[in-house]
Amino acid sequence: MNDSTTDGTATPVVLDVWCELQCPDCHAALEDLRALRARYGDRLEVRLRHFPLEKHKHAYAAAQAAEEAIAQGKGWPYAEAVLARTEELAAKGEPVLIDTARELGLDAEEFDTALIDGRHLLIVDADQAEGKAIGVTGTPTYVIGGERLDGGKSQQGLRERVEEIADRLLAEPEGRL
């Protein structure tokens, strides 16, 4: 199997990040994610996957809001901005999600409508169901090259492990089945 796109560029390695936007551990993981994106650029596709935890009252709404940010073209900037405000989100709830959208120049009214009409519920529910099916129990959890790495217990050594797997996958000449 050829591991190239139609324009001849290599297909990026996919890193799924099972995240919850009210989670302090996910906030702590941002530095690692930024470092990974800086190191690999477009050779590593970092995908936000939702795993809202019941213990965080506003996590489900935050996941839906993140999907609206993706629809408006600023998924990761929005997710990072919300993660920087986990305590404020816990204290003030959904208005923080709308304010964050406004601050990033997104259509805040559309965010409000999206949270009311539930247009992103299916995506969030599907992510959560898939996460449960593959054994995600906490956040952040990373999946790369078929390996699940649990960052909910400790971030120690995770970036290095992700880099080892990414380097191996990027070096494989016949692709990553």
Side-chain angles (χ1 to χ4, degrees):
M1 177 177 146
N2 187 332
D3 193 28
S4 300
T5 59
T6 54
D7 65 2
T9 59
T11 304
V13 169
V14 173
L15 172 63
D16 282 330
V17 181
W18 299 88
C19 184
E20 196 241 63
L21 296 181
Q22 197 178 332
C23 171
D25 291 330
C26 290
H27 178 237
L30 277 178
E31 185 179 327
D32 284 343
L33 290 174
R34 287 183 187 122
L36 289 166
R37 284 200 299 263
R39 176 175 174 173
Y40 293 102
D42 60 4
R43 296 178 306 141
L44 181 70
E45 179 185 351
V46 181
R47 296 191 309 198
L48 177 64
R49 304 299 301 272
H50 304 290
F51 202 79
L53 302 169
E54 288 182 25
K55 67 181 179 180
H56 293 133
K57 182 177 176 184
H58 306 292
Y60 198 79
Q64 293 175 69
E67 282 301 314
E68 182 58 30
I70 291 168
Q72 293 189 31
K74 289 192 177 175
W76 273 112
Y78 182 81
E80 289 187 16
V82 172
L83 282 167
R85 301 169 84 169
T86 54
E87 289 180 19
E88 187 180 356
L89 178 58
K92 297 180 181 174
E94 291 183 20
V96 172
L97 301 172
I98 307 300
D99 290 345
T100 303
R102 189 175 293 111
E103 290 163 11
L104 290 173
L106 296 168
D107 184 341
E109 312 230 331
E110 199 60 31
F111 269 75
D112 195 34
T113 302
L115 289 173
I116 292 167
D117 71 18
R119 69 183 72 161
H120 302 296
L121 286 173
L122 290 176
I123 293 170
V124 175
D125 288 347
D127 272 4
Q128 192 165 40
E130 183 181 337
K132 286 179 181 176
I134 64 167
V136 175
T137 57
T139 57
T141 295
Y142 307 92
V143 177
I144 182 170
E147 289 193 49
R148 188 181 76 239
L149 307 169
D150 184 356
K153 293 181 177 69
S154 171
Q155 299 289 312
Q156 190 68 33
L158 275 184
R159 184 169 87 200
E160 293 79 9
R161 186 70 187 116
V162 169
E163 289 173 345
E164 286 172 18
I165 296 167
D167 289 344
R168 184 185 77 230
L169 293 173
L170 287 167
E172 291 177 7
E174 287 302 311
R176 302 165 295 283
L177 296 177

